[in-house]
Amino acid sequence: SQPTLLFLSIVTPSGRKYFTPFYLLKMKVAVCLTALVASASAFSAETNRRDALASVAAAGAALVPAVANAASGDSPKFSVFGVVGDGTSLSEGAAYGSDQSTKVYSPYSVYGEVGPDSLYKKANADEFTSRKKAVLAESRTRLQKLPGYAQKKEWFNVRDELTRYMYETRGAVRGLAKTTTQKEKADAFFKAMEETYLQAGFKSQDKTLAASELSIATLDDFVASL
């Protein structure tokens, strides 16, 4: 049977009227109308004006995306790999580079091809070494603060200094250590640095001072081997 379009009138306790469209099959009109009238009565008795308006607002918000993407009189859009059809259609995504001003890294990427203007540039050997040595120089500056912290029994400062920037240190040392001797010197430095952190946790002043001084000495020894 053909569906029938009906409008249900709902009246809130404040006197506001709302009309709700719905479809019914002819053979089930009487049954559905009875159920809807019962629902409307419950709605009128239990729902105030604020709840009704909130429901309408929520329903309208749910329809916003569809309305924003729709355009009156537009024909359906399609795209085949951004070559045939409309490359700007919503289903196309990056449009396989057809919507980019410059050549992309690949047909499936929105990022540009690697070149002089790229944000990331792979450093050559000299630049890499220079950056890592700068990290070691800054690390030594921070290590020199540790004895002063230990003298004042500022254990939290000792441990914070070893974690605030020094996470860069391990990567720099590992990146520069090439020979067996250099790797052994790197291990000695790491052990001294870890001992400093450990003894600061125990609040052992003498051992913390000794370990911090050893950290500086072993770092200097490693840098001298480069």
Side-chain angles (χ1 to χ4, degrees):
S1 58
Q2 296 295 325
T4 301
L5 175 63
L6 298 176
F7 289 88
L8 175 65
S9 175
I10 301 175
V11 181
T12 65
S14 63
R16 302 279 294 186
K17 292 184 178 180
Y18 301 90
F19 295 92
T20 303
F22 60 93
Y23 288 94
L24 293 175
L25 295 175
K26 289 182 179 179
M27 61 183 296
K28 298 182 180 179
V29 169
V31 177
C32 292
L33 276 176
T34 302
L36 286 170
V37 168
S39 299
S41 299
F43 179 87
S44 298
E46 298 176 4
T47 306
N48 57 25
R49 178 171 177 269
R50 181 178 299 175
D51 293 336
L53 291 176
S55 299
V56 173
L63 294 175
V64 167
V67 173
N69 293 330
S72 177
D74 269 7
S75 60
K77 298 178 180 179
F78 71 95
S79 173
V80 181
F81 302 110
V83 178
V84 179
D86 186 358
T88 63
S89 61
L90 294 179
S91 62
E92 190 56 45
Y96 296 90
S98 64
D99 60 347
Q100 302 294 315
S101 60
T102 58
K103 189 175 181 181
V104 293
Y105 176 75
S106 77
Y108 309 101
S109 172
V110 297
Y111 301 103
E113 196 171 32
V114 177
D117 297 328
S118 299
L119 292 178
Y120 171 76
K121 298 180 181 66
K122 186 175 181 179
N124 57 40
D126 292 339
E127 290 174 334
F128 176 84
T129 301
S130 177
R131 282 208 305 261
K132 297 306 180 185
K133 286 185 175 180
V135 171
L136 296 185
E138 177 62 23
S139 299
R140 190 180 192 283
T141 299
R142 292 170 182 265
L143 286 174
Q144 289 177 315
K145 298 178 181 179
L146 301 184
Y149 292 145
Q151 292 285 359
K152 298 176 184 177
K153 296 185 178 181
E154 295 178 354
W155 311 117
F156 64 94
N157 275 331
V158 174
R159 305 191 93 185
D160 285 352
E161 200 65 67
L162 290 170
T163 55
R164 185 182 297 117
Y165 176 85
M166 302 293 285
Y167 67 92
E168 291 282 355
T169 306
R170 188 177 295 271
V173 171
R174 290 299 187 200
L176 292 171
K178 303 299 182 183
T179 66
T180 302
T181 301
Q182 290 173 341
K183 292 178 181 178
E184 290 174 351
K185 292 179 183 295
D187 289 340
F189 166 62
F190 292 147
K191 290 177 182 178
M193 191 166 58
E194 290 164 3
E195 181 68 13
T196 305
Y197 188 90
L198 179 65
Q199 296 304 328
F202 292 148
K203 299 182 179 180
S204 175
Q205 188 176 50
D206 292 339
K207 291 183 179 180
T208 301
L209 284 168
S212 62
E213 294 291 351
L214 183 60
S215 296
I216 298 172
T218 51
L219 177 60
D220 289 342
D221 189 35
F222 171 75
V223 172
S225 69
L226 298 177

